[in-house]
Amino acid sequence: MTNRKHNTHLSQSDIALKIEALVQAIEHSNTPAFRITHKQSGYARFEQTRLSHHFTHIQQMYNLFDDRVPYDYSEHLQAFQEACDDIGLQRSPNGPVCMSETGTYWLSHEQSMNVLTERIRQLTRQRWYQRKAGDRAYEARKQAKEITTYSDAVMSLYSRTTVIRLDLYYRPEAQARQRVEQVFDHLDDLIYEHSRNPIFEHLIGYTYSVEQGDRNHRRGYHIHAAYFFNGNIVCRDVCKATGICKLWEEVTRGQGYAHSCNHDKEGYGDKLGIGQIHRDDQSKRPNTHEAMRYLVKDDQHLRVKPAGARCLRKGSLGRFRRFV
C-alpha cells in the first residue's frame, strides 16, 4: 500500500511535475489506483496497481491548490484540480478522502483515490484537455517565429552585434521552498536594472523566457536569457556575461546562479551563433536563430504560473536608431 503519510517535502515545481505524471499515467491506463478485495471477515483488503506509486505525495498535490495566489495551470493540473473539486475531496489524517456516491458515508482513502482516478480519466477524454498540447505546440512555433524576427531586427541596427546567452538557475536549497511568483519578481527586478546598472550600457535588445525543468532535467524554475549589445562598442562578450551572472546572484540575494553559454563558445563549432556577429555575415544568422529558438521550446513550459503572467519577454526596438 502507498505511504500516504509521506513527509518528504517537495518543491512547488516538483509537485506540479508529480501531478502531471499522475494524470498522464491515468490517461494512458485503465486500472484503478488500488485494487480492492474483501476478506472473509468482511474487511476490505487493498492491493497496489501500477498507478499506486503515483499517489505517494497525494496530500502535497492536493495542497498545491491553496488559492494564496491566482494561477494559470497546465491541462494536467487543471484536470487534477477539477477532479478534486468534482468529487469533493477533503483532507484527512490518513490521506485525502471523499464521500460515497450517495453522500451518506466517507470512503476510505484508497476507495477515494479510485474515485479520483476515474474522474481524472473522464476529464482527460474531454476536448478542452486534448486540445491543450496542440495549442501549446502552436504557440511555441509562433513564438519561435516572433523571436527570430526580433533578433534579425536587433542585429540589423548596427554593423556588429554582441550576443550573450545565459541560463539563470536557482540553487537546490532555494528551490525547495520556491514559488513561481518569486521567479517573476526576480525577473522584474532584473529588467529594472537594464536602465540603471552600468553592465547594461549599450544594450540594444533582450529576450527572457521563464521555464520549468521536466522530470528528466531537475532544474526547477529557471530563466533563459539573451542580450544584444552594440558590437561596435561592446566586444568582450565573456566579460559582459560574467557581469550579468554576478548581477543575477545579487538580484536573487544569493539564491541564484547562472551558466554562461559565451564561456563555452568553442563547443559550438560551426554552429556558433553568439558572441560578436557581423551584420553582413549572413552565414551565422541561422545559428543565432537556433540559439534564440531554444528560449521558446515547448518541452519545458510552466505547469503553473501567476494568472496572466507573460513567460516570454523581449525588448522594444523603438528607441534604437540604426548606426553603420
Side-chain angles (χ1 to χ4, degrees):
M1 189 185 308
T2 188
N3 178 12
R4 55 186 180 270
K5 293 183 180 180
H6 203 287
N7 291 321
T8 302
H9 174 80
L10 297 180
S11 68
Q12 184 190 57
S13 174
D14 285 341
I15 284 296
L17 294 176
K18 291 286 187 185
I19 296 174
E20 179 180 77
L22 168 66
V23 173
Q24 288 176 336
I26 292 172
E27 179 184 5
H28 298 107
S29 72
N30 57 7
T31 60
F34 298 94
R35 189 167 288 107
I36 302 174
T37 59
H38 294 275
K39 296 181 179 180
Q40 291 183 351
S41 60
Y43 290 100
R45 181 171 179 267
F46 303 102
E47 296 177 354
Q48 288 194 354
T49 70
R50 60 181 178 176
L51 289 180
S52 300
H53 73 277
H54 287 287
F55 290 85
T56 301
H57 298 279
I58 187 64
Q59 187 66 66
Q60 291 185 61
M61 296 182 198
Y62 179 75
N63 291 341
L64 180 72
F65 305 92
D66 60 7
D67 295 328
R68 278 188 284 174
V69 176
Y71 288 125
D72 292 330
Y73 298 110
S74 70
E75 68 271 24
H76 306 99
L77 273 66
Q78 186 178 342
F80 179 86
Q81 183 188 35
E82 287 190 19
C84 291
D85 291 343
D86 289 347
I87 70 171
L89 200 67
Q90 299 289 327
R91 292 179 179 84
S92 168
N94 291 321
V97 296
C98 66
M99 296 202 76
S100 66
E101 190 173 354
T102 60
T104 55
Y105 61 93
W106 290 99
L107 298 176
S108 69
H109 171 72
E110 288 81 5
Q111 291 170 322
S112 299
M113 293 304 95
N114 284 350
V115 175
L116 178 63
T117 295
E118 184 54 35
R119 183 54 185 151
I120 290 174
R121 189 170 286 129
Q122 292 170 356
L123 290 172
T124 63
R125 294 168 183 160
Q126 293 185 1
R127 187 177 179 183
W128 69 266
Y129 176 91
Q130 296 180 347
R131 287 182 54 184
K132 282 283 190 174
D135 291 345
R136 190 167 51 248
Y138 170 79
E139 185 64 21
R141 292 193 297 270
K142 179 182 175 182
Q143 289 182 340
K145 292 180 181 178
E146 178 183 330
I147 205 171
T148 297
T149 300
Y150 175 75
S151 61
D152 277 342
V154 172
M155 290 192 294
S156 296
L157 292 170
Y158 297 89
S159 59
R160 287 176 292 185
T161 304
T162 298
V163 182
I164 310 293
R165 260 285 291 117
L166 302 179
D167 298 316
L168 310 178
Y169 297 119
Y170 288 89
R171 304 187 189 282
E173 57 271 24
Q175 290 181 26
R177 299 288 177 181
Q178 187 179 50
R179 298 173 66 89
V180 68
E181 59 268 25
Q182 297 169 333
V183 182
F184 282 90
D185 288 342
H186 288 150
L187 177 56
D188 289 340
D189 292 342
L190 187 58
I191 293 176
Y192 174 72
E193 292 293 330
H194 289 183
S195 60
R196 62 189 298 272
N197 195 296
I199 195 65
F200 291 116
E201 190 174 5
H202 308 299
L203 180 71
I204 60 174
Y206 65 88
T207 303
Y208 292 104
S209 179
V210 183
E211 296 192 345
Q212 179 178 2
D214 58 24
R215 294 190 292 273
N216 297 320
H217 303 87
R218 302 297 294 275
R219 293 287 193 179
Y221 300 127
H222 58 274
I223 301 171
H224 295 303
Y227 303 94
F228 302 86
F229 289 89
N230 179 353
N232 294 320
I233 302 174
V234 177
C235 57
R236 300 176 66 186
D237 61 311
V238 171
C239 290
K240 277 289 185 186
T242 299
I244 300 173
C245 288
K246 291 180 179 178
L247 179 61
W248 174 245
E249 292 186 29
E250 294 174 10
V251 165
T252 60
R253 294 177 174 82
Q255 296 179 22
Y257 71 98
H259 170 260
S260 164
C261 298
N262 293 70
H263 282 69
D264 302 321
K265 289 198 301 289
E266 64 279 359
Y268 288 86
D270 295 337
K271 300 295 184 180
L272 182 64
I274 58 177
Q276 190 163 89
I277 307 295
H278 289 257
R279 183 173 60 201
D280 296 333
D281 184 2
Q282 294 297 315
S283 66
K284 289 188 177 181
R285 284 296 178 94
N287 299 335
T288 302
H289 294 163
E290 184 63 26
M292 296 304 109
R293 284 195 292 267
Y294 183 83
L295 274 67
V296 291
K297 59 189 182 303
D298 178 38
D299 61 344
Q300 293 194 28
H301 62 279
L302 289 181
R303 280 72 172 179
V304 52
K305 68 175 183 176
R310 292 183 299 114
C311 295
L312 179 65
R313 310 276 186 92
K314 65 181 190 304
S316 171
L317 292 169
R319 65 188 183 90
F320 301 117
R321 64 183 179 85
R322 187 185 180 95
F323 179 80
V324 181

